Structure formats: C-alpha cells, structure tokens
Amino acid sequence: MSDRGIREYGLDGELARVAGVEVRLVVDGFAAWGLEWVDGPTVDRMRAHVAAVRAGRRGIAPPEHRLDYRRRQSPRAWAARAVAAMRDVSSLRAVAAGAALRRNHPAGRNRRPGALRPEDHALLDLVQRLYEGSADPERADRPEDEPLIRRLLAEGNQSREAMCRILNDADPELGFGADDLRRTESGRPILRLVSEDSSC
C-alpha cells in the first residue's frame, strides 16, 4: 500500500482503538514511518497490535522494516514507577549498586556542582528499565500510591530530575518521609534511598 493509502486508511486511529491510547503515525525520513504514543502498551505489545491490524486488513501498515516504534514517557509514569520501586528492596539494592559503580568510575569523581549525583543517575536508570517493561506504567500499583504520586509530581514540578532528588533526599521534613514511601522487609524505615557509605 502506498504512503498515501496508509494515511488515508487511518492506521493510527485503528491502533488507538486496539491499544487504548492515542497513537500518531508520522513520516520519518524518506522511506520510514514513526509510530508514537505515550505510556500505555510496551513496544513489544504495540508490535503485536500492528501485526494484528495488518493480519485483519492486509496491506494497511508499512512493512516492519519501515516502522519505528517510539513510546514516550510521561512525568506521571515516571513518578508511578519510582514510587513503586521505593517499596521494593531489590530495586533499592539495584540503585545502591548502580550508584556505587558510578561513584567509583573516573567520570563520576569530577561531578560539577549542582549536577546529578551517582544515586540520581542510578535511580533514573532503574525507573527507565521498569518503565520499558511495564504496560500502562502511569497507573499506580496500589491505591495508597496515588496520593504519593500526585505529591511527587507537584513537589518535583513534573521534572524527572527534581523528583529523583526528592526521593533520594527523602526525609520527614521534606514531605516524603519513610512512613510515606519506603520500608525494608523487616519494616525498618529507610530515610534515604542511597547513602554515600551504605548499601541497601
């Protein structure tokens, strides 16, 4: 099917109906298409949706080699995945290990004042991995997470970097105390996600 035919058929609308999120189909260079959406299904799931639409109506989607999948992350999804990670001991350990690696790397020793810290980078990396593997990542994992997500978005002004700093610096005086966010399996509260001299 020609590019014009792909546009006229409304592949983006068909995918939006199937996937349950707004989908944009944009021309991406000379011979490619970009398929864009925010949060919602994973890239693998969207590939399956495209395959299903293609199988149902032959020829209405660009060939797979001409289709680029771009899933955009909303601040809401970042906050929801980060709040969920705060409750998971293995996630806390992963951030501690990532921060230690960055701290010991030569590039991590020459940090500019005000730049993100090793634990900030490690948390950003972890949340990105969680996001990529989660369908509907903007949804709270538990009902009690909802007010925490809203507070984190408000206090961090919807900035991933600012929200990251809030979580890494969390203490009762900042509004994100241990009772709100994190406890170990033993129930002992963790006041910081990662400290300079400890691991979770």
Side-chain angles (χ1 to χ4, degrees):
M1 180 177 267
S2 69
D3 288 352
R4 182 177 176 186
I6 289 166
R7 276 201 182 281
E8 287 175 350
Y9 177 80
L11 175 62
D12 47 358
E14 182 75 3
L15 286 171
R17 184 186 64 74
V18 173
V21 295
E22 182 180 343
V23 178
R24 291 183 55 221
L25 187 66
V26 296
V27 175
D28 187 20
F30 178 68
W33 290 86
L35 193 62
E36 300 178 350
W37 70 101
V38 177
D39 302 335
T42 63
V43 170
D44 286 345
R45 189 70 188 131
M46 189 62 81
R47 283 185 201 280
H49 290 321
V50 169
V53 168
R54 187 181 279 129
R57 299 194 184 182
R58 301 189 109 199
I60 63 124
E64 188 64 27
H65 71 277
R66 291 186 57 205
L67 199 51
D68 182 32
Y69 293 84
R70 299 183 198 141
R71 185 187 191 206
R72 309 290 187 205
Q73 184 185 65
S74 70
R76 160 80 196 197
W78 192 95
R81 292 309 91 221
V83 167
M86 296 300 97
R87 297 191 193 282
D88 179 47
V89 172
S90 64
S91 292
L92 297 174
R93 288 188 181 124
V95 170
L101 282 173
R102 287 178 177 275
R103 200 173 291 111
N104 293 326
H105 191 277
R109 295 187 196 126
N110 300 320
R111 190 170 58 87
R112 297 183 323 273
L116 290 174
R117 302 161 296 185
E119 55 267 30
D120 298 328
H121 285 290
L123 180 57
L124 287 168
D125 290 347
L126 173 73
V127 172
Q128 184 61 36
R129 288 194 306 273
L130 295 173
Y131 174 83
E132 288 168 3
S134 300
D136 302 314
E138 71 282 6
R139 295 183 185 167
D141 280 11
R142 303 176 179 184
E144 60 268 26
D145 287 352
E146 189 58 43
L148 300 174
I149 293 166
R150 287 196 305 265
R151 283 174 51 202
L152 185 57
L153 284 164
E155 291 183 27
N157 201 26
Q158 299 200 17
S159 159
R160 290 173 186 85
E161 290 79 10
M163 291 188 286
C164 190
R165 287 180 186 275
I166 288 168
L167 292 175
N168 276 327
D169 291 337
D171 68 38
E173 292 167 9
L174 291 174
F176 279 91
D179 289 337
D180 285 338
L181 290 174
R182 304 182 293 284
R183 290 186 179 274
T184 64
E185 289 168 335
S186 67
R188 182 179 62 82
I190 301 169
L191 294 179
R192 282 181 54 85
L193 179 61
V194 177
S195 66
E196 292 290 326
D197 56 358
S198 67
S199 62
C200 296

